[in-house]
Amino acid sequence: MTRTAPLRVAALALALVSCGAGGCAALTNPVSDGIPVRRLPPEVFAEPKADLKDVPLNLLRINEPGDYRLDKGDVLAVVADEVVTKESQGVPIQFSQNPNATKPAVQGVPVPVQDDGTILLPLLDPIPVKGKTLLEVRALIVDQIVNQKQIVVRGKERVLVDLMQPRKYRVLVVREDNGGSPAISAGNYGSEVSFGGGRRGAAYSLLLEPGRNDLLQALTQTGGPPGFDAKHEIVIRRGKYDPADPLKGYVRVPTRANPARPLTFSEADITLEDGDTVNIEARDTEVFYTAGLLPAAILPVPRDRDLRVIEAIALVRGPLINGGFNQNQFTANSVSTGLGNPNPSLVTVVRRLPNEQTVRIRVDLNEAFRDQRENVVIQPGDTLVLQERPNESFARYFTQTFRIISIGKLVTGDRFNATATSSNP
């Protein structure tokens, strides 16, 4: 046995022991048992954002309000001779205090609609007006004055009914967006994500008129459509909160959808009623995480474009077909570089499911460069773990081991030759 044989055996044993004793992350990878991409059902994967388009704004408003239907809170202007007015007297004129009112003035005496949906006029029985138009209410008044009470002879009645002040729907709008763009840089990896100034956290109390009590009107009065940092949906909460059924009364209106699919909301869904709350949630929780041979980072998922595994690794400057060399300037190399180092190719995507469970998706990084199906789309909450496969890890260890042996042989060989030369005359 030569002098270098013990060194070679020791170095090889050291490599094997280091792999088997927990020093090799490829063998101790806790998520290496993921399910291959091709074996998972389509429900696990996200819908490509390239297929989504902005929902037209006209779908967020009441397009055909129709005839005005009365309800409690409305105030009518009524002219009814011998009941609230006199034929010998002039008709009172009521001027609107609202500069945006559709009618600056109306004729008649103010008559409010009661909580029970009726109006009360002298000498007449309560008249139910809830759900009725102005013309229908006039007909009811004429019927009582002429037919039932016979206060005025038919043909001599003078009855006018107009809307003096429409009722108001009180709606609360809570906006967590600020309209800014995410402040992201490829070299900025921190525990926090900046979306351009943080949440605005603004709340607005609106009074909306019937026919204008829609989602678009609420957005227009509070700053416009959702900003870049808002989620692709608007949540409308109706009624009181029920602890037994927390999701009761929730309406979710998407702001981006697939044009090839039917809309998931109707005009009734975007019509706001008294007491409704509109919530525009910020998307600062739509992030993904990186670990393993990738720099530990928390990064936002793009809003309007797909982010796939390869792009996500490139975003954190992780190793891609370069022998495991990490490109971050101020971060140590993920693995030692050198001739013969393999490319780490085992990516595990730890994905959270709606039922609070997780699924581990195994991605072959080498195959992802050839097949887009393998290069899966990243979803919010995903964790990307990049590691070497065991064979890649052993190849790297052997490369390093033989390099050490070669260096050791060179050093010990020089010493042996020098000793032999000095001992021989």
Side-chain angles (χ1 to χ4, degrees):
M1 180 179 293
T2 64
R3 291 177 178 269
T4 59
L7 180 61
R8 183 181 295 110
V9 173
L12 181 58
L14 179 62
L16 294 175
V17 171
S18 63
C19 285
C24 180
L27 298 183
T28 59
N29 183 1
V31 292
S32 61
D33 58 343
I35 304 174
V37 174
R38 299 176 182 275
R39 296 184 182 178
L40 290 170
E43 293 78 12
V44 178
F45 303 104
E47 182 179 15
K49 294 180 180 178
D51 297 338
L52 304 180
K53 304 297 180 182
D54 290 337
V55 173
L57 293 179
N58 64 333
L59 297 180
L60 303 182
R61 72 181 182 190
I62 301 174
N63 291 312
E64 297 182 2
D67 294 331
Y68 191 91
R69 300 284 175 174
L70 298 174
D71 204 343
K72 65 177 182 178
D74 288 325
V75 178
L76 302 179
V78 178
V79 174
D81 288 347
E82 308 305 327
V83 177
V84 294
T85 57
K86 294 292 184 179
E87 183 180 1
S88 60
Q89 298 176 353
V91 176
I93 299 178
Q94 308 293 335
F95 293 92
S96 176
Q97 302 297 323
N98 183 4
N100 298 321
T102 56
K103 295 180 180 179
V106 293
Q107 300 181 84
V109 176
V111 177
V113 178
Q114 306 297 315
D115 289 343
D116 61 356
T118 64
I119 59 173
L120 304 177
L121 299 177
L123 306 178
L124 302 183
D125 297 331
I127 301 175
V129 300
K130 181 178 180 180
K132 293 182 171 57
T133 66
L134 296 175
L135 290 178
E136 291 172 343
V137 172
R138 180 186 181 278
L140 293 175
I141 296 175
V142 169
D143 180 62
Q144 283 210 37
I145 292 176
V146 174
N147 299 327
Q148 299 181 28
K149 304 296 182 180
Q150 299 181 354
I151 299 174
V152 178
V153 178
R154 180 176 295 278
K156 298 293 184 179
E157 73 276 4
R158 186 177 65 165
V159 178
L160 302 175
V161 178
D162 205 346
L163 181 65
M164 176 180 293
Q165 179 179 308
R167 62 188 180 274
K168 305 290 185 180
Y169 295 114
R170 186 176 297 276
V171 175
L172 182 65
V173 179
V174 180
R175 302 194 62 149
E176 300 175 356
D177 62 328
N178 58 20
S181 300
I184 310 170
S185 62
N188 180 23
Y189 312 120
S191 58
E192 298 181 356
V193 179
S194 173
F195 278 82
R199 292 187 179 185
R200 180 196 301 177
Y204 306 84
S205 182
L206 306 181
L207 294 176
L208 304 179
E209 297 181 2
R212 300 180 180 177
N213 56 322
D214 51 47
L215 187 55
L216 182 59
Q217 188 69 222
L219 295 177
T220 302
Q221 295 189 23
T222 58
F228 187 89
D229 55 338
K231 291 185 176 180
H232 279 315
E233 67 174 8
I234 301 173
V235 179
I236 302 175
R237 302 173 183 174
R238 306 190 190 276
K240 296 182 179 180
Y241 176 76
D242 185 2
D245 189 2
L247 298 181
K248 181 180 179 180
Y250 275 54
V251 177
R252 298 184 181 273
V253 179
T255 57
R256 285 175 66 85
N258 191 332
R261 299 180 181 178
L263 292 175
T264 58
F265 65 93
S266 63
E267 186 172 291
D269 293 326
I270 56 91
T271 301
L272 303 177
E273 303 294 341
D274 193 63
D276 286 353
T277 300
V278 178
N279 188 14
I280 301 177
E281 299 178 345
R283 55 180 298 269
D284 52 4
T285 57
E286 294 187 354
V287 298
F288 71 98
Y289 310 85
T290 55
L293 298 182
L294 301 174
I298 305 175
L299 295 172
V301 178
R303 190 188 73 156
D304 297 330
R305 65 179 180 85
D306 294 324
L307 181 70
R308 297 181 179 271
V309 170
I310 294 177
E311 291 83 355
I313 296 176
L315 182 63
V316 297
R317 297 183 181 177
L320 287 172
I321 317 182
N322 59 2
F325 178 73
N326 190 299
Q327 304 175 65
N328 290 286
Q329 182 177 1
F330 300 107
T331 306
N333 292 345
S334 300
V335 293
S336 300
T337 60
L339 182 64
N341 280 344
N343 304 307
S345 64
L346 176 58
V347 176
T348 303
V349 180
V350 183
R351 176 157 298 172
R352 301 174 186 174
L353 300 178
N355 58 3
E356 300 301 327
Q357 296 183 352
T358 60
V359 60
R360 296 183 294 276
I361 305 173
R362 190 171 67 196
V363 175
D364 186 335
L365 190 57
N366 295 329
E367 188 64 26
F369 278 96
R370 297 186 290 263
D371 190 346
Q372 188 76 339
R373 291 176 298 177
E374 192 81 16
N375 191 21
V376 298
V377 176
I378 302 301
Q379 293 187 28
D382 284 352
T383 299
L384 271 66
V385 182
L386 174 65
Q387 275 296 349
E388 298 173 308
R389 298 178 185 274
N391 61 330
E392 296 167 348
S393 176
F394 278 115
R396 178 170 57 82
Y397 274 117
F398 280 122
T399 297
Q400 296 172 348
T401 299
F402 288 132
R403 184 187 302 114
I404 295 174
I405 293 175
S406 300
I407 295 174
K409 180 179 179 180
L410 177 62
V411 173
T412 55
D414 290 343
R415 290 181 179 177
F416 176 77
N417 292 334
T419 303
T421 302
S422 61
S423 61
N424 292 328

